[in-house]
Amino acid sequence: MMSRQEQFVDEDDGFEIESPFDSGAAATKRPDLSGTIGGRIGDGSAGPQAAYMSNTLPGGYHTNTLDEPILTTIGRDFGKVGRKTVQVLYPKGRNNALQEWDLWGPLFFCLSLAIIMSFLAPDQQASAVFTGVFALVCIGSCVVTLNCKLLGGHVSFFQSVCTLGYCISPMAIASLITLLAHRIIVTLPVVAVAVGWSISAAVGFLAGAQLANRRLLAVYPICLFYICIGWIIIIS
């Protein structure tokens, strides 16, 4: 009489017991786990990674800029800053201006204004003036933006900060003229024109915030912000 194990093996047709130590059999039946994330080497396929790398973001920025030359990146950023500055100084068709916000331009004009003002101040007060002007511009921009947001304005925080920062460019030019001329008869009209220019540009760019009947409450802090900067330039 056959044992129970032999009977079970005989009744199971086509069943073969393979040794786990048989490397040849294991190699032939090993599943293919290779993916197509980067494409197979030498087959010319790009895979999803190449599709991801070829995508671009709004504003012309690419998802991968690690391989491009540093001068190309710097040139592209400076070009964008220059175009946005021209839109502030010559506000023609500014309804769609500064939609793609960045903080490089505002930082540049903020530092430029603070450095020029430190040159206008006495030597023992240069560092204090630099710190005060830089803090005033940064904190003032945030406060004006928060006021606009609390009034129900439909504008993003960083876009508003970007707009207010770029609109400081006339003030930076006025401070540079003051540094070169350093006469009240020249400083007063130049600063007055720069303050009006900055206020007009900022109010025009933020016109799309849809503040309805609260527009005056949003414009007043903007005017106060630029008037304070202009007053500091005059008394320097």
Side-chain angles (χ1 to χ4, degrees):
M1 180 180 296
M2 293 187 297
S3 62
R4 182 174 300 177
Q5 183 177 2
E6 293 175 350
Q7 183 179 4
F8 175 78
V9 172
D10 292 338
E11 292 177 355
D12 191 0
D13 296 334
F15 179 82
E16 296 181 359
I17 301 178
E18 296 180 355
S19 173
F21 300 101
D22 189 359
S23 57
T28 56
K29 295 187 177 182
R30 182 176 301 167
D32 185 12
L33 300 179
S34 60
T36 58
I37 295 179
R40 296 178 183 271
I41 300 176
D43 64 353
S45 61
Q49 184 179 6
Y52 167 77
M53 303 288 272
S54 63
N55 292 334
T56 56
L57 297 173
Y61 290 99
H62 297 274
T63 54
N64 180 31
T65 58
L66 296 177
D67 297 332
E68 71 176 5
I70 183 74
L71 293 179
T72 303
T73 304
I74 295 176
R76 182 179 63 245
D77 293 338
F78 270 101
K80 291 181 180 296
V81 171
R83 287 191 295 271
K84 293 176 182 179
T85 304
V86 171
Q87 289 175 344
V88 172
L89 298 178
Y90 183 64
K92 182 180 179 180
R94 63 188 180 187
N95 293 329
N96 296 326
L98 300 180
Q99 293 296 323
E100 301 169 0
W101 60 266
D102 68 87
L103 299 181
W104 291 113
L107 179 62
F108 171 77
F109 291 116
C110 181
L111 287 175
S112 300
L113 181 62
I115 291 173
I116 295 173
M117 296 300 296
S118 65
F119 282 123
L120 290 172
D123 294 337
Q124 63 273 16
Q125 298 179 359
S127 60
V129 170
F130 176 86
T131 305
V133 172
F134 188 85
L136 174 64
V137 173
C138 294
I139 297 176
S141 299
C142 294
V143 170
V144 172
T145 300
L146 288 176
N147 177 71
C148 183
K149 294 288 289 182
L150 292 175
L151 291 175
H154 298 280
V155 61
S156 66
F157 180 85
F158 288 108
Q159 182 181 355
S160 178
V161 171
C162 171
T163 301
L164 296 173
Y166 272 102
C167 292
I168 294 177
S169 54
M171 310 295 295
I173 297 174
S175 63
L176 180 60
I177 296 175
T178 302
L179 178 63
L180 298 177
H182 206 66
R183 293 183 180 180
I184 190 64
I185 194 174
V186 176
T187 301
L188 197 58
V190 168
V191 172
V193 171
V195 170
W197 204 332
S198 297
I199 293 175
S200 175
V203 172
F205 284 126
L206 296 178
Q210 302 177 4
L211 294 172
N213 298 330
R214 300 179 180 179
R215 182 181 178 85
L216 184 60
L217 296 176
V219 172
Y220 171 73
I222 295 176
C223 298
L224 186 62
F225 174 60
Y226 291 110
I227 290 174
C228 288
I229 297 177
W231 176 249
I232 293 176
I233 297 175
I234 293 175
I235 64 177
S236 297

